[in-house]
Amino acid sequence: MSEIIKSKIRDIPDFPREGIVFKDITNVLKDADAFKHAIDLLAKHFEKQHIDYIAGIEARGFIFGSALAYKMGKGFIPIRKPGKLPHKTEKITYDLEYGKDSLEIHLDAVEPGKKVLIVDDLLATGGTIDAAVKLVKKIGGEVMGVAFVVELEFLNGRKRLPEDCNITKLITF
Amino acid sequence: MSEIIKSKIRDIPDFPREGIVFKDITNVLKDADAFKHAIDLLAKHFEKQHIDYIAGIEARGFIFGSALAYKMGKGFIPIRKPGKLPHKTEKITYDLEYGKDSLEIHLDAVEPGKKVLIVDDLLATGGTIDAAVKLVKKIGGEVMGVAFVVELEFLNGRKRLPEDCNITKLITF
């Protein structure tokens, strides 16, 4: 089912740093059928769940998250890098392999108790998605699941997430 | 028609700098009806044109562009900030009010002669979209139009674009 998607992902050696093989998903996006298929598979997976909002993590998570929100008829919530959201925000800082990074969400993005599905393109070491889950909870949202197009299983990113976190992915490397 | 969209846009004074009133579109995204309406209006506007790809400009252009690509059954091309695209890129540097900025596109993102619609959330002074148009042409694409959710008419951004550039916007301030 996901073979058309997997076939469009290419390896880019030494990006963004030497020794890392980057999974480039731009050819999934470029292929109308593969892109549609990815969104439709995600939508089908969540069609029976009660979800109020789809949140996407800047920047590639915006691409899959917003198309999924459109398909599912939900509102879209951007989770952004620091300083990008113009209104009052909640912020979280988290550890990366080298250094730290931060994410922000508008304080009024999610009303307390509303159910949120968080989308990103790829699950690697899990630091970003773990921070995004905490951020949505901080402002009172309920995280119904986290969804990825690709999981890099050998990086064990899912171990960083809470045990009760409902993880979905379309493709595994 | 676009009133539901306009009603969801809020003014944020002094963002990102003192003296600027920022048009915050996050509540358009959050409202499933307003978001769907924006995408459907854009799709309807272009339904009779031959378009091969929808390109979106990082980062808010990703949100509208990818949902539009999904709706129209087209491939999506990301136009990104420098250093983000992993494969070989074409780059353009352009003047901002203060300083310079750059955009990149994958060299193989658009095959020569393919027809591209470029999407961004907002047309302000026009520097970014003008650079994006040049970038798509540089790699051989034909720019069929540029589309925005919001145009800030008083900033005269459209004057910066080529005269034959087909400009569409849903809302004007």
Side-chain angles (χ1 to χ4, degrees):
Chain A
M1 278 266 283
S2 313
E3 284 314 304
I4 181 180
I5 303 168
K6 198 163 189 170
S7 73
K8 297 288 172 187
I9 295 176
R10 61 181 167 187
D11 284 351
I12 312 278
D14 299 321
F15 185 91
R17 283 189 308 276
E18 211 182 311
I20 294 184
V21 179
F22 186 84
K23 296 289 178 191
D24 177 22
I25 53 86
T26 56
N27 282 342
V28 176
L29 306 174
K30 180 179 168 173
D31 185 292
D33 292 336
F35 180 47
K36 180 174 177 1
H37 192 53
I39 300 302
D40 289 347
L41 283 175
L42 290 172
K44 189 154 181 54
H45 187 87
F46 293 102
E47 67 185 351
K48 287 182 182 152
Q49 270 190 261
H50 177 173
I51 288 166
D52 295 304
Y53 298 117
I54 309 287
I57 302 173
E58 183 169 6
R60 286 188 300 268
F62 285 6
I63 299 174
F64 292 103
S66 76
L68 183 62
Y70 177 83
K71 164 73 176 176
M72 295 182 74
K74 309 295 179 189
F76 177 77
I77 309 290
I79 296 176
R80 300 207 62 176
K81 314 270 164 141
K84 300 285 186 179
L85 287 168
H87 205 52
K88 288 176 189 160
T89 61
E90 184 65 72
K91 183 174 179 172
I92 189 164
T93 299
Y94 59 101
D95 292 326
L96 292 176
E97 214 182 335
Y98 305 97
K100 287 179 184 298
D101 214 341
S102 299
L103 288 175
E104 290 184 352
I105 194 167
H106 269 156
L107 271 181
D108 61 0
V110 179
E111 298 79 10
K114 290 284 184 183
K115 297 173 191 304
V116 181
L117 169 65
I118 307 175
V119 177
D120 207 353
D121 65 325
L122 186 137
L123 173 58
T125 58
T128 303
I129 189 68
D130 179 52
V133 167
K134 286 177 177 146
L135 207 48
V136 169
K137 288 180 177 172
K138 257 184 164 184
I139 63 167
E142 188 181 341
V143 177
M144 301 306 288
V146 296
F148 307 91
V149 176
V150 180
E151 177 178 9
L152 302 183
E153 250 180 5
F154 59 96
L155 290 175
N156 267 319
R158 55 174 66 221
K159 281 208 174 157
R160 193 150 169 181
L161 284 162
E163 270 194 23
D164 63 348
C165 197
N166 174 16
I167 303 168
T168 302
K169 45 79 189 290
L170 300 180
I171 288 170
T172 305
F173 287 101
Chain B
M1 277 266 282
S2 312
E3 285 314 304
I4 182 180
I5 303 168
K6 199 162 188 171
S7 72
K8 296 288 173 188
I9 295 176
R10 61 181 167 188
D11 285 351
I12 312 279
D14 299 320
F15 185 89
R17 282 189 308 276
E18 211 181 313
I20 294 182
V21 179
F22 187 84
K23 295 290 178 190
D24 177 23
I25 53 86
T26 54
N27 282 342
V28 176
L29 306 174
K30 181 180 168 173
D31 186 291
D33 293 335
F35 180 47
K36 180 175 176 2
H37 192 53
I39 300 303
D40 289 348
L41 282 175
L42 290 171
K44 188 153 183 55
H45 187 87
F46 293 101
E47 68 185 350
K48 287 182 182 153
Q49 271 190 261
H50 177 173
I51 288 165
D52 296 305
Y53 298 117
I54 309 287
I57 303 174
E58 184 170 4
R60 286 187 300 266
F62 285 6
I63 299 173
F64 292 103
S66 75
L68 183 62
Y70 178 84
K71 164 73 177 177
M72 295 182 72
K74 309 294 179 190
F76 177 77
I77 309 291
I79 296 177
R80 301 208 61 175
K81 313 271 164 139
K84 300 285 185 177
L85 286 167
H87 205 52
K88 287 175 191 161
T89 60
E90 184 65 71
K91 182 175 179 173
I92 189 164
T93 299
Y94 59 102
D95 292 325
L96 292 176
E97 213 183 335
Y98 305 98
K100 289 180 183 297
D101 215 341
S102 299
L103 288 174
E104 291 185 351
I105 195 168
H106 270 156
L107 272 180
D108 62 0
V110 178
E111 298 79 9
K114 290 283 186 184
K115 297 174 193 304
V116 181
L117 169 64
I118 307 176
V119 177
D120 207 353
D121 65 325
L122 184 135
L123 174 58
T125 58
T128 304
I129 188 69
D130 180 52
V133 167
K134 286 177 176 146
L135 207 47
V136 169
K137 288 180 177 173
K138 256 184 163 182
I139 63 166
E142 187 180 343
V143 177
M144 301 306 288
V146 296
F148 307 92
V149 177
V150 179
E151 178 179 8
L152 303 182
E153 250 181 5
F154 60 95
L155 290 175
N156 266 320
R158 56 173 65 221
K159 280 208 173 157
R160 192 151 169 180
L161 285 162
E163 269 194 25
D164 63 347
C165 196
N166 174 17
I167 303 169
T168 302
K169 46 78 188 291
L170 300 181
I171 288 169
T172 306
F173 286 103

